Amino acid sequence: MNSQQNQDWQNDPRLASLDPEKLKFLTDFSERMRSVPKDKMMPFLLLLRQEAEQKKMQFTDQEALLIAAVLSAGMTAEQKHWVEMLRGILQKRT
């Protein structure tokens, strides 16, 4: 994903219904993710879940699917794999 795509996802109209605090959380997290080496991605994604739990932030299954769809547009297969892992981490636990 190029630099422009890294920022374009934030303007996707499908995210208009997402809680502003959740969008800010994801935006901040995506900024930090840019500098994470591939071999450290899984621990970083687990950190996302931990930080969300600390903030008592829960993503519904629908929100997790929406976020994955928006983020994966225009990505390589490898990048889509990481987004799919992110979706699984964000999905609501029951």
Side-chain angles (χ1 to χ4, degrees):
M1 184 183 309
N2 66 38
S3 179
Q4 184 64 35
Q5 287 172 315
N6 280 335
Q7 295 175 4
D8 283 349
W9 69 266
Q10 298 169 38
N11 299 318
D12 190 298
R14 295 175 290 177
L15 295 174
S17 63
L18 192 64
D19 178 291
E21 285 298 313
K22 289 179 180 180
L23 185 57
K24 181 182 180 333
F25 177 78
L26 291 171
T27 301
D28 293 346
F29 207 82
S30 72
E31 292 291 321
R32 293 169 38 205
M33 190 169 77
R34 289 185 196 169
S35 63
V36 176
K38 289 179 187 178
D39 65 332
K40 304 280 189 228
M41 190 60 71
M42 190 59 180
F44 186 73
L45 293 175
L46 292 173
L47 177 64
L48 169 66
R49 186 175 79 193
Q50 182 181 15
E51 288 183 13
E53 287 174 356
Q54 288 174 350
K55 293 180 180 202
K56 304 213 184 312
M57 189 173 299
Q58 293 184 347
F59 292 84
T60 65
D61 290 346
Q62 183 179 4
E63 289 171 333
L65 287 169
L66 172 63
I67 291 164
V70 169
L71 291 178
S72 64
M75 288 185 167
T76 65
E78 182 181 14
Q79 291 169 325
K80 287 180 181 184
H81 169 75
W82 288 115
V83 170
E84 192 58 29
M85 291 183 75
L86 172 64
R87 183 189 62 78
I89 289 170
L90 289 177
Q91 276 188 307
K92 189 172 141 184
R93 307 284 183 236
T94 57

